[in-house]
Amino acid sequence: MRRLAEARQPLWRKLPVPSSQINPYRIVIVLRLVVLCFFLRFRIMTPANDAIPLWLVSVICELWFALSWILDQLPKWSPVTRETYLDRLALRYDREGEPSRLSPIDFFVSTVDPLKEPPIITANTVLSILAVDYPVDRNSCYVSDDGASMLCFDTLSETAEFARRWVPFCKKFAIEPRAPEFYFSQKIDYLKDKVQPTFVKERRAMKREYEEFKVRINGLVAKAEKKPEEGWVMQDGTPWPGNNTRDHPGMIQVYLGSQGALDVEGHELPRLVYVSREKRPGHNHHKKAGAMNALVRVSAVLTNAPFILNLDCDHYVNNSKAVREAMCFLMDPQLGKKLCYVQFPQRFDGIDLHDRYANRNVVFFDINMKGLDGIQGPVYVGTGCVFNRQALYGYDPPRPEKRPKMTGLLGFYKKRGKKDKLGGGPKKGSYRKQQRGYELEEIEEGIEGYDELERSSLMSQKSFQKRFGQSPVFIASTLVEDGGLPQGAAADPAGLIKEAIHVISCGYEEKTEWGKEIGWIYGSVTEDILTGFKMHCRGWKSVYCTPTRPAFKGSAPINLSDRLHQVLRWALGSVEIFMSRHCPLWYAYGGRLKWLERFAYTNTIVYPFTSIPLIAYCTIPAVCLLTGKFIIPTLNNLASIWFIALFMSIIATGVLELRWSGVSIEDWWRNEQFWVIGGVSAHLFAVFQGFLKVLGGVDTNFTVTSKAGADEADAFGDLYLFKWTTLLIPPTTLIIINMVGIVAGVSDAVNNGYGSWGPLFGKLFFSFWVIVHLYPFLKGLMGRQNRTPTIVVLWSVLLASIFSLVWVRIDPFIAKPKGPILKPCGVQC
């Protein structure tokens, strides 16, 4: 009885931030907003008459910064944390000795170029998926190879063979993590909590087998670096269909999951499927978003699990119970039907101890995302996310039924009519009778046997072809509410593979709603933001799951150039969304998107535009030092109070935010520094590139090319790797002109005596503020040998010199004389 009562308990609970921590935080936010209003009023009402242009630019920048802070701060008003109960989930759905009732799940892994995305990393991701702590008959893994690479194909073949030994080893000894590369490289006591006498022997043997597996993969990579003139040839002597990566048919290969694919102990293994969608010249394939939509359709035809977990090829499963963590929310009787996805935080391996370029993004994942979880849910960040398949199909979430006001037969039919309609499309569970078969013709043949209301529902199936495409098998799968193949479909495996090839053809999505209302949404290089935004607009909720052991871990670029290039891509996607019809500023006001959630999405697409006022504000201190002018007139006592109050409120907000979130002050400071570094470089380029791309149709690509190698003996050799990119020029120029300004300002004060030092301190403070924030960038330029590449120095010195010379020539702050020019004539007058 006690276990039965335990099984009926909630599978999760919400843990709000304690009032002793959140209430002071909210009070300080309100006080800071009040102080900010008075400060801005003072700045607007007291212009610097001797430097009107500088004053005007600075005030405009400060107004934009204030708006940006409000958009960022308000969604963090009610942060929450959630706790799951895996034992209750097991008691309810996965009791020992009984068939598991846990929902099936399909894993999606996406890769494009195996020479840039090492195959051994992709293999480790796949192995960690196959070994998760989840029923094998309810776990399938689909790998999308969007580069149609024979190297990826052969790597998966080797991975499937190695999995027959690796998976039982993981489950027998309950090891973590279940990616062999990262398990064997752990610097911990691997004997802790291990009691089986055979563990050491079997671990040693497994490590040897993994090293042999790595050697085989390295051999495949070496072979792939030299492509034969006649193209690749498969083992049976036939040409590889993907020799032309831009013109090839669709390919599907099922490695595991079929009869006979058992591990070395005779147990069944999860299904592993290789997918490479068809590509032809003249078709827009929509990059990653298109590849993910192809996987949605293939998986619906072959397995049709109700939930989908997508991972990048370099993100492995670090917590084998991660799927169970997500199921505590998705299988909850009350909350589960309302959830479009469960998002996990991104965690990373291989980052330097001090996280010089804020790769961990701790402030976003541990502060902003928890704030959003208290509103309508976190945004989708592209990986480590478990989707409700029905939400991807563009359905609306179920609404609570209202008590009918009408009685009798008319009221009954009105109630039925409301049930059978959902957002202009079919409701998830309203077509049970169609599940007897999967051919549309069969559905239409049975129309005479139903009443008028049911006949209209069945006839609406024809509109499904315009919505989902010309595949009766896929359409039938969308009507199965709890997942699984429609009845009769599983009896013809060869027919399912043929249909799966059909749904990944390059013309399948034409004249359908794929990428518009269904699946991953097209229109931006950051398809993740758009996809989650559309779901939230329909009224779906999302949940942020933060287990004690990180669910997934990935790799991040740790050198300066690659990091800036990554940030450039994200910012460019935000600019594209801003200039599209999906912009949160004007999209879906009639929907069910909450206002604070809209503020958060608005902030995600306008933040690149902060680069323009930011670079102007970082230039102003140098200009003030070079000209002797300042943006603020002489301060009186009241004005000094507002300045002090503003700085104190900024410090208090940061301290209290760190207190309730648990983020370290070092992580917070690194985030502040990289906000400036990315703002004056990648974000600025993204704004101009976005305008060129959207308005002018010019697709400018800032390519990062390698200029130096790294010391492979150093674990963080890439940290010192330099790659030339134009993104480095603006920050370097800012550092130089601010340093020149400091030298000029101090020299002027020395020459003019004691009275000049007072006004100088305010200017020096702002200039040092710029340099301190750009310090990690400066270290990145210096590299291991503390040397800056010549090309960066030349460009930056040139720009700084031109700016200084132009300024001296124009000098707008010197009053131009009117009338005749008088010159001193000395004794000759």
Side-chain angles (χ1 to χ4, degrees):
M1 290 297 293
R2 183 178 178 182
R3 292 187 64 183
L4 184 61
E6 181 74 12
R8 292 174 178 173
Q9 294 295 315
L11 300 177
W12 63 277
R13 68 167 178 160
K14 185 186 295 185
L15 300 174
V17 177
S19 57
S20 60
Q21 297 179 5
I22 196 63
N23 287 340
Y25 177 66
R26 292 170 176 168
I27 292 172
V28 169
I29 290 175
V30 175
L31 291 177
R32 180 175 172 181
L33 187 60
V34 173
V35 171
L36 185 61
C37 292
F38 280 100
F39 171 79
L40 292 175
R41 179 182 178 276
F42 161 75
R43 292 285 287 121
I44 294 172
M45 300 299 293
T46 55
N49 294 321
D50 60 339
I52 291 295
L54 284 179
W55 166 82
L56 182 61
V57 171
S58 65
V59 169
I60 293 173
C61 292
E62 288 162 3
L63 288 171
W64 179 267
F65 295 151
L67 176 63
S68 179
W69 173 75
I70 292 172
L71 289 175
D72 180 67
Q73 191 67 61
L74 289 183
K76 295 186 283 189
W77 185 260
S78 301
V80 298
T81 305
R82 300 178 191 267
E83 185 179 69
T84 57
Y85 300 102
L86 299 182
D87 52 344
R88 296 176 184 175
L89 179 76
L91 284 173
R92 187 178 298 183
Y93 297 109
D94 194 28
R95 293 184 181 180
E96 189 175 353
E98 299 180 8
S100 176
R101 294 187 294 118
L102 291 171
S103 293
I105 186 167
D106 290 334
F107 282 82
F108 290 177
V109 179
S110 57
T111 182
V112 179
D113 187 348
L115 296 179
K116 294 182 179 179
E117 299 166 332
I120 192 63
I121 299 300
T122 304
N124 271 268
T125 299
V126 171
L127 288 169
S128 69
I129 292 172
L130 298 178
V132 294
D133 183 8
Y134 209 71
V136 294
D137 60 331
R138 296 171 179 271
N139 173 19
S140 301
C141 177
Y142 293 82
V143 179
S144 169
D145 176 20
D146 221 29
S149 169
M150 188 172 170
L151 172 58
C152 181
F153 183 87
D154 291 339
T155 298
L156 283 187
S157 180
E158 291 284 353
T159 303
E161 181 61 28
F162 179 71
R164 298 178 64 246
R165 295 180 292 279
W166 173 251
V167 172
F169 171 77
C170 294
K171 295 187 176 181
K172 180 178 180 180
F173 298 107
I175 66 168
E176 296 282 2
R178 299 189 176 181
E181 181 72 22
F182 303 96
Y183 170 69
F184 290 121
S185 63
Q186 289 182 114
K187 297 180 180 179
I188 61 172
D189 180 13
Y190 63 84
L191 297 177
K192 185 178 180 181
D193 300 328
K194 297 294 184 291
V195 295
Q196 295 96 324
T198 60
F199 173 68
V200 174
K201 181 179 179 180
E202 292 190 34
R203 183 185 185 276
R204 190 179 295 119
M206 182 54 62
K207 186 175 182 180
R208 183 175 62 252
E209 290 193 28
Y210 176 65
E211 290 173 349
E212 293 173 356
F213 168 73
K214 286 181 65 176
V215 170
R216 292 195 296 271
I217 299 299
N218 291 339
L220 293 176
V221 174
K223 179 182 176 182
E225 291 176 349
K226 300 178 181 179
K227 185 177 181 179
E229 294 183 1
E230 65 277 7
W232 301 111
V233 179
M234 301 177 69
Q235 292 182 356
D236 60 0
T238 59
W240 171 246
N243 276 320
N244 187 342
T245 58
R246 297 182 180 181
D247 186 4
H248 64 83
M251 295 177 282
I252 295 177
Q253 175 67 44
V254 180
Y255 290 102
L256 300 174
S258 57
Q259 294 182 356
L262 306 177
D263 63 26
V264 292
E265 296 183 359
H267 299 136
E268 186 180 354
L269 287 168
R271 180 174 302 198
L272 175 61
V273 183
Y274 169 89
V275 179
S276 182
R277 57 183 173 144
E278 181 186 18
K279 287 190 175 181
R280 301 298 180 191
H283 286 82
N284 187 353
H285 301 289
H286 301 288
K287 300 181 181 179
K288 180 182 176 181
M292 298 306 293
N293 285 338
L295 287 184
V296 171
R297 297 191 294 272
V298 168
S299 62
V301 171
L302 297 181
T303 52
N304 197 36
F307 302 112
I308 294 169
L309 196 162
N310 87 287
L311 292 172
D312 289 341
C313 64
D314 61 343
H315 278 68
Y316 64 90
V317 181
N318 183 64
N319 183 346
S320 62
K321 296 185 183 296
V323 179
R324 294 177 181 264
E325 296 273 358
M327 291 304 165
C328 287
F329 301 104
L330 294 167
M331 297 188 69
D332 182 86
Q334 281 75 38
L335 180 66
K337 299 295 183 181
K338 305 173 185 177
L339 290 183
C340 54
Y341 58 81
V342 175
Q343 178 66 62
F344 291 88
Q346 290 186 22
R347 305 300 186 202
F348 300 98
D349 286 318
I351 296 177
D352 59 296
L353 181 62
H354 300 290
D355 192 14
R356 180 186 293 179
Y357 305 123
N359 280 285
R360 293 191 180 95
N361 228 345
V362 176
V363 171
F364 174 75
F365 286 112
D366 290 356
I367 297 180
N368 294 69
M369 295 286 270
K370 288 182 178 179
L372 290 174
D373 200 17
I375 309 172
Q376 196 174 344
V379 298
Y380 168 44
V381 297
T383 185
C385 186
V386 185
F387 282 98
N388 181 341
R389 186 182 285 269
Q390 298 295 328
L392 281 172
Y393 288 160
Y395 290 111
D396 291 344
R399 300 186 184 184
E401 294 185 8
K402 297 181 180 180
R403 182 176 300 174
K405 297 181 180 180
M406 303 179 66
T407 58
L409 185 61
L410 181 60
F412 170 77
Y413 275 107
K414 283 185 174 290
K415 184 178 179 182
R416 283 286 303 275
K418 289 181 180 179
K419 282 187 177 181
D420 290 336
K421 293 183 179 180
L422 188 58
K427 188 175 179 179
K428 294 183 287 186
S430 60
Y431 296 97
R432 293 293 181 186
K433 294 184 179 180
Q434 288 98 317
Q435 295 176 17
R436 298 172 303 171
Y438 58 88
E439 291 292 341
L440 285 181
E441 291 76 5
E442 296 178 13
I443 295 173
E444 294 174 2
E445 288 174 1
I447 288 179
E448 293 77 4
Y450 300 105
D451 60 27
E452 182 178 354
L453 179 63
E454 292 174 327
R455 188 182 303 118
S456 64
S457 297
L458 293 175
M459 289 298 293
S460 68
Q461 285 289 327
K462 293 183 177 179
S463 65
F464 275 35
Q465 292 186 355
K466 296 181 180 179
R467 181 176 174 86
F468 293 110
Q470 300 288 331
S471 172
V473 180
F474 174 75
I475 291 175
S477 72
T478 66
L479 307 177
V480 185
E481 184 177 12
D482 297 324
L485 297 178
Q487 294 181 10
D492 184 15
L496 289 181
I497 293 293
K498 183 179 179 181
E499 192 68 20
I501 291 290
H502 168 60
V503 298
I504 60 173
S505 59
C506 59
Y508 182 84
E509 295 183 356
E510 292 181 1
K511 298 181 180 180
T512 67
E513 295 187 11
W514 284 100
K516 302 172 185 174
E517 300 294 333
I518 302 173
W520 271 257
I521 306 301
Y522 304 150
S524 171
V525 293
T526 51
E527 70 289 327
D528 45 3
I529 298 294
L530 264 182
T531 303
F533 176 61
K534 293 276 285 189
M535 292 180 181
H536 283 135
C537 287
R538 295 189 187 103
W540 290 96
K541 295 181 180 179
S542 57
V543 161
Y544 194 49
C545 184
T546 56
T548 303
R549 180 179 179 86
F552 311 101
K553 281 190 174 183
S555 58
I558 64 172
N559 74 76
L560 178 60
S561 301
D562 286 347
R563 174 66 167 142
L564 290 178
H565 191 68
Q566 180 189 58
V567 173
L568 170 64
R569 177 183 174 275
W570 295 342
L572 175 60
S574 295
V575 175
E576 289 175 339
I577 296 173
F578 175 81
M579 302 182 70
S580 71
R581 70 182 187 91
H582 293 117
C583 178
L585 289 172
W586 51 72
Y587 182 78
Y589 272 95
R592 288 178 281 173
L593 185 69
K594 294 185 177 180
W595 277 101
L596 287 181
E597 193 81 8
R598 185 179 294 277
F599 285 164
Y601 273 109
T602 301
N603 189 46
T604 62
I605 58 102
V606 301
Y607 77 89
F609 296 94
T610 304
S611 60
I612 298 174
L614 183 60
I615 199 167
Y617 211 70
C618 290
T619 307
I620 287 175
V623 175
C624 292
L625 288 167
L626 290 170
T627 61
K629 310 298 179 182
F630 200 40
I631 58 176
I632 302 172
T634 304
L635 296 177
N636 54 33
N637 292 335
L638 181 60
S640 300
I641 291 174
W642 290 126
F643 268 95
I644 295 173
L646 180 62
F647 282 111
M648 292 298 294
S649 65
I650 292 173
I651 294 172
T653 305
V655 170
L656 293 174
E657 200 167 72
L658 298 182
R659 182 171 173 240
W660 68 254
S661 66
V663 174
S664 69
I665 191 169
E666 183 180 20
D667 286 325
W668 177 84
W669 176 237
R670 285 286 181 256
N671 182 78
E672 293 295 308
Q673 288 180 312
F674 200 78
W675 175 74
V676 176
I677 295 171
V680 300
S681 56
H683 297 173
L684 182 67
F685 277 72
V687 171
F688 289 106
Q689 184 178 355
F691 276 101
L692 287 173
K693 184 175 182 179
V694 176
L695 299 180
V698 180
D699 191 3
T700 307
N701 186 19
F702 297 95
T703 304
V704 181
T705 55
S706 179
K707 297 295 181 183
D711 184 4
E712 295 182 0
D714 189 345
F716 301 112
D718 282 350
L719 184 65
Y720 307 101
L721 182 65
F722 176 79
K723 299 179 181 180
W724 161 246
T725 170
T726 50
L727 300 176
L728 302 176
I729 295 176
T732 309
T733 305
L734 284 176
I735 291 175
I736 291 176
I737 64 174
N738 274 279
M739 287 182 173
V740 170
I742 290 173
V743 173
V746 172
S747 300
D748 182 69
V750 170
N751 293 332
N752 293 333
Y754 178 78
S756 301
W757 286 97
L760 179 65
F761 284 128
K763 305 171 188 175
L764 289 177
F765 172 80
F766 285 108
S767 198
F768 276 118
W769 178 90
V770 174
I771 294 174
V772 167
H773 277 77
L774 293 175
Y775 179 68
F777 175 86
L778 186 60
K779 289 185 66 176
L781 284 184
M782 295 301 178
R784 190 192 303 273
Q785 296 81 18
N786 291 330
R787 292 184 302 175
T788 304
T790 306
I791 189 169
V792 176
V793 176
L794 290 176
W795 271 101
S796 302
V797 171
L798 179 62
L799 291 177
S801 302
I802 292 174
F803 175 81
S804 302
L805 292 173
V806 170
W807 187 270
V808 171
R809 180 69 182 86
I810 299 176
D811 206 345
F813 299 107
I814 296 181
K816 299 298 185 285
K818 297 181 180 179
I821 300 176
L822 302 178
K823 297 182 179 179
C825 55
V827 296
Q828 298 179 358
C829 289

